[in-house]
Amino acid sequence: MYKAVIIGGSAGSFQVVTKILNALPTHFPMPVLLCLHRLKHVRSGFVEALSIKSSIPVIEPFDKEQLKPGKAYLAPANYHMFLELANRIALSTEEPVNHSRPSIDLSFVTAAHAYRNKIIGIILSGANRDGAYGIKKLHDLGGTTIVQDPEECEVKTMTEASLKLTEVNYVFKTDQIIDFLLKLK
Amino acid sequence: MNSVEIGIVDTRNIIRTIQDVYGYDFSNYALTSLKRRLEKIIEDSSLASADNLNMRLREDKPFFDDFLKDISVETTEMFRDPSLWRTLRDETIPGLMNDNLRFRIWIPVCVSGDELYSLAILLREMDCLHKVEIIASSFCERCIENIKQGVFSEKKYEISAENYRRFQGASEFEQYVKINGKTAVRDTSLLESTSFIRQNIIFDSSPRDVKLILFRNKIIYYNPGWQDKVLQIMHKSLSPKGHLIIGAKEKIRGNALKDYIVMNESENIFKKKFN
């Protein structure tokens, strides 16, 4: 019944994302959107690093690329990544939000509008409040929301800000997030 | 984030108003980002709702002129993607300079002038600014005015200076952009070879015989069908062997790619085939 998973993270999220991508089955039934804070001027290296242990392909989408199940889409450096209608990615160079481009809020809000109750939003470790508003919006529009247990986070700012703003569906440790995703059909 | 939210129907109504009253057709713009821009405009001008914006647009021409500027998205900073600018300086421009004739460069849909000024700096440092004719086109009169006056956002100064350093320019960034408290201003003598043209949103009367088109991060705001159409217009404007540069994450799709030779894949530099 779900059509997409979206994950937001910043400082301290790399290991967690790697672990999740490693645990997913090769035929994961939906696309995984990744909006992770990254250096603006470094265009290459990140997607390669995430790919090493991932069991599904990780790509940096081109503008208007069509989403496919079983692939992970990483927001490219120095672009916002929106969800456009008809399952397409739309990139944008508009002003940073929360000092961030890509901004997790923007990816989450546009994805929430596109998928309503058919999306799972996950906020991981991070040193910035970006994402807190996004996961609220996703929750309000009927999506399923998960926040990484701040106790487990390398940096708690992002998860704590999210939890303060929204009563999310689940507060999970990494292993529980993985268990949840593995049960999806 | 915007606190105002409008729907797809509101967005379509506004598009229709602009089309009816001013003849600008935004219907081929990608909806998500257009909707976001409209929300931002409604918020920044304290209009509170899409209906109010609609009414204001109908009645207030100067407001519409500002609107055209605010609806356009800037290219974000000067010397964005320093590696592209290095490639331009070290490979592309020298290749185009083969003959000693003056050649034409086109920068469509100028908004902030960041690409224009970056290119002018690069060409001046190569000592060939006087050997080119740059055409900067825009559908936004306010944008052109600002660019001509050298207006630059102080917020973008630091990242642009950093980019310039990574580009390994021959001089210092502050030689071209002076900062004065909260404002920054660019050296307008850099525009010596630039002429500005007002162009409608549908690219009417596009320049011909262009050797280089710098068109980065503009088609991301269009829907796929219009992207293809606009790229056809660019192709028509290029002289044989002319070069087209699009944004790092933009794509020439399908058959259209056959008309080009890929010169640099990571920087998205394409050369028009001879026939």
Side-chain angles (χ1 to χ4, degrees), chain B residues 179-196:
Chain B
I179 206 154
N180 190 355
K182 275 252 163 263
T183 58
V185 64
R186 294 187 271 218
D187 176 1
T188 53
S189 78
L190 287 161
L191 302 178
E192 59 174 287
S193 300
T194 301
S195 55
F196 290 89

Side-chain angles (χ1 to χ4, degrees), chain A:
Chain A
M1 65 162 221
Y2 288 111
K3 286 191 172 163
V5 176
I6 182 164
I7 300 176
S10 174
S13 69
F14 181 79
Q15 299 298 340
V16 185
V17 175
T18 304
K19 218 170 152 187
I20 293 172
L21 291 176
N22 178 253
L24 293 180
T26 38
H27 295 288
F28 191 64
M30 61 198 85
V32 179
L33 301 156
L34 302 170
C35 187
L36 308 172
H37 289 165
R38 52 189 298 185
L39 293 172
K40 279 198 175 116
H41 64 276
V42 183
R43 284 200 313 221
S44 58
F46 198 22
V47 76
E48 292 82 355
L50 284 172
S51 297
I52 295 172
K53 290 189 175 164
S54 176
S55 40
I56 61 175
V58 187
I59 49 179
E60 276 176 339
F62 278 87
D63 177 58
K64 305 297 176 322
E65 189 157 337
Q66 196 101 43
L67 294 177
K68 303 228 166 74
K71 286 187 178 179
Y73 297 85
L74 174 69
N78 215 357
Y79 285 99
H80 292 302
M81 183 169 80
F82 296 162
L83 256 291
E84 185 74 14
L85 306 174
N87 273 327
R88 283 181 196 273
I89 295 275
L91 300 176
S92 159
T93 59
E94 66 184 84
E95 50 278 82
V97 172
N98 307 310
H99 308 286
S100 308
R101 189 173 49 224
S103 151
I104 300 168
D105 276 350
L106 280 184
S107 288
F108 271 59
V109 169
T110 55
H113 277 289
Y115 292 111
R116 302 278 159 167
N117 62 345
K118 305 237 183 308
I119 187 164
I120 298 154
I122 306 173
I123 292 288
L124 305 175
S125 170
N128 173 311
R129 301 176 50 85
D130 189 29
Y133 178 80
I135 194 135
K136 176 181 186 333
K137 200 75 218 176
L138 193 136
H139 192 87
D140 291 348
L141 288 172
T144 300
T145 47
I146 302 174
V147 167
Q148 187 187 3
D149 188 343
E151 285 307 303
E152 195 199 54
C153 291
E154 218 175 290
V155 190
K156 297 178 206 250
T157 319
M158 192 178 282
T159 48
E160 283 182 346
S162 301
L163 292 174
K164 215 167 155 186
L165 214 60
T166 315
E167 223 168 281
V168 299
N169 298 108
Y170 307 103
V171 178
F172 278 165
K173 292 200 163 32
T174 308
D175 291 338
Q176 294 171 295
I177 296 174
I178 290 169
D179 287 343
F180 182 91
L181 293 177
L182 289 182
K183 284 190 197 123
L184 298 174
K185 289 267 154 41

